Amino acid sequence: MSKLSGQEQGGIEARLEKMGIIVPEPVAPKGNYVSAVRLGNALHLCGHVPTNSSTGELITGKVGKDLTVEEGYESARACAINILGTLKMELGDLNRVKQVVKVVGFVNCADDFTQQPAVINGASDLFAEVFGESGRHARSAVGSNVLPLNIATEVECIIEIKSE
């Protein structure tokens, strides 16, 4: 993992392009909530669902039953990519991210599954790859017997943003 900030590495957008990641347009909330709430320099993001970047379909199933740990990892990574879309919409420029402060990840998993941290590493690793040291964060990884729409993972986070 690089110790340089995204700006020192030529900007976040350039880094994403090199990684082959296309930041998607965020989807509108499906309930009585908003995608993000700003409190001072903190941006609290709602839970984001995983979508297949090729088809746009939700990634569904129970990790440890229907999906492998690796497939769960990719699902959490997809959630993090969708978070980037919300950040871009909210901030206008991903270089305004100062620090990924906290990540909370939920894993739809079999009752005897205990590798939730390995699954949520998909989101954590992406943030570290994209934002360097600024992408390292505190985290919780929680197992659940079911998630909405049978999605495999859901990830939310708190971001510190640079002053305008």
Side-chain angles (χ1 to χ4, degrees):
M1 168 178 27
S2 172
K3 294 185 189 258
L4 298 175
S5 75
Q7 288 180 325
E8 293 169 319
Q9 297 167 9
I12 300 302
E13 298 287 338
R15 174 166 277 275
L16 288 167
E17 189 174 331
K18 285 181 187 175
M19 294 171 68
I21 294 174
I22 297 169
V23 177
E25 292 290 325
V27 296
K30 303 285 190 246
N32 188 17
Y33 65 94
V34 294
S35 298
V37 172
R38 184 173 177 174
L39 183 61
N41 282 348
L43 192 63
H44 296 251
L45 299 178
C46 70
H48 282 64
V49 301
T51 51
N52 181 304
S53 62
S54 300
T55 66
E57 294 179 8
L58 291 174
I59 299 171
T60 60
K62 282 191 180 296
V63 181
K65 179 181 176 190
D66 309 314
L67 303 171
T68 65
V69 171
E70 294 77 17
E71 290 168 321
Y73 177 99
E74 291 302 322
S75 176
R77 183 177 176 89
C79 291
I81 291 170
N82 287 335
I83 285 172
L84 295 177
T86 297
L87 286 172
K88 188 170 182 179
M89 179 188 73
E90 291 290 326
L91 303 175
D93 181 358
L94 292 173
N95 288 303
R96 291 198 52 221
V97 172
K98 183 174 183 179
Q99 180 70 50
V100 178
V101 176
K102 172 83 180 199
V103 169
V104 179
F106 301 92
V107 180
N108 178 5
C109 57
D111 289 343
D112 61 349
F113 185 78
T114 60
Q115 297 181 62
Q116 292 84 359
V119 170
I120 300 304
N121 278 344
S124 295
D125 290 349
L126 179 87
F127 290 138
E129 290 167 26
V130 171
F131 297 110
E133 284 297 311
S134 297
R136 294 179 48 85
H137 51 266
R139 185 183 83 183
S140 298
V142 181
S144 177
N145 66 330
V146 68
L147 290 174
L149 305 173
N150 196 37
I151 55 174
T153 56
E154 183 173 347
V155 177
E156 63 181 61
C157 63
I158 301 171
I159 303 292
E160 181 184 11
I161 55 178
K162 296 173 185 170
S163 299
E164 295 184 61

